[in-house]
Amino acid sequence: EIRVIPDMFGLATVGVKAEDLDGILLFDMEWNLAKPHNIFIKRVIDIILSSFAIAILFPLMGFISIKIRRDSKGPVIFSQKRLWKGESTFDFLKFRTMYLNGDEKLARYLKENPQARKEWEKFAKIKSGDPRVTKFGSWLRRYCLDELSQLIHVLTGEMSLVGPRPYLPREFEKMGGYRKTILKALPGMAGL
């Protein structure tokens, strides 16, 4: 008895029907996520849930804004270009969790800590003890509260509640052969 698992990215997101054609296995696939009625339903759900979440979480977002201002100098919201559908970009908003001179702090830290430099080169992030992150920013990241401002993107249609993470333009080449598939969908707050 032989069972084969085909290496087909995104197979779980399509409607798959297997057929036997004289001993040859055929896959008949429909991309359910690309059907207009499914896109419409997902958009309606995004609007309803993001509106509801913004209304309920508005006091918390106000509290976060005040704490960020007290924790360090700079704007409350951090803006960064991210890839959108196709190859265009949009201004991605998050609550600011880093100091304004974060790049200088990072360069100095990586110079003094070879282990951290290896981690940065491999993952493009430092998992613990990142010198760029403020004290309150660390708390926001731990509970993913820095992401709450993205509800505005969901409401305006730039993002969805569920979808691939919003990639940075510098990560375009790293997407490789999956690029077209990833950029067909709206980026999401919660990932896939």
Side-chain angles (χ1 to χ4, degrees):
E1 187 175 305
I2 299 173
R3 292 183 179 160
V4 177
I5 301 173
D7 183 15
M8 299 179 74
F9 178 74
L11 193 60
T13 64
V14 296
V16 179
K17 297 174 197 159
E19 297 178 41
D20 180 3
L21 179 66
D22 290 329
I24 299 172
L25 180 63
L26 298 176
F27 286 112
D28 181 20
M29 296 183 268
E30 295 179 12
W31 194 328
N32 291 326
L33 294 178
K35 291 182 178 178
H37 66 276
N38 287 342
I39 292 170
F40 176 76
I41 291 168
K42 187 172 190 230
R43 180 70 188 123
V44 168
I45 291 170
D46 280 346
I47 290 170
I48 292 169
L49 292 179
S50 63
S51 299
F52 185 68
I54 289 170
I56 289 177
L57 297 171
F58 190 76
L60 176 61
M61 291 192 279
F63 169 76
I64 289 170
S65 299
I66 292 167
K67 288 291 283 180
I68 289 172
R69 291 292 253 194
R70 289 185 178 165
D71 191 38
S72 65
K73 292 181 181 180
V76 170
I77 299 291
F78 169 75
S79 177
Q80 186 178 48
K81 293 284 185 199
R82 296 290 178 107
L83 293 174
W84 199 55
K85 290 176 76 173
E87 294 181 17
S88 58
T89 60
F90 73 104
D91 291 319
F92 178 73
L93 305 176
K94 285 179 82 165
F95 282 116
R96 184 176 57 83
T97 59
M98 294 186 183
Y99 293 103
L100 291 181
N101 62 343
D103 292 335
E104 297 165 18
K105 288 179 178 271
L106 178 65
R108 189 169 44 249
Y109 183 75
L110 295 179
K111 193 175 188 178
E112 296 168 359
N113 297 284
Q115 189 63 31
R117 185 174 54 247
K118 287 179 185 176
E119 184 179 352
W120 177 260
E121 289 168 358
K122 185 173 183 179
F123 301 110
K125 64 172 42 179
I126 299 172
K127 294 179 183 179
S128 62
D130 191 330
R132 301 171 297 169
V133 179
T134 65
K135 184 177 180 181
F136 185 63
S138 177
W139 185 82
L140 285 175
R141 286 180 170 200
R142 184 177 320 130
Y143 298 104
C144 300
L145 296 175
D146 58 327
E147 313 278 344
L148 289 179
S149 57
Q150 294 169 35
L151 288 166
I152 301 297
H153 290 305
V154 176
L155 190 60
T156 60
E158 294 172 309
M159 288 180 68
S160 180
L161 290 170
V162 178
R165 74 177 190 81
Y167 283 82
L168 291 162
R170 70 172 184 249
E171 297 174 308
F172 188 78
E173 295 303 320
K174 289 182 183 177
M175 291 179 182
Y178 301 125
R179 183 182 311 129
K180 282 187 176 181
T181 303
I182 293 169
L183 295 176
K184 274 186 182 179
L186 283 175
M189 283 184 67
L192 292 172

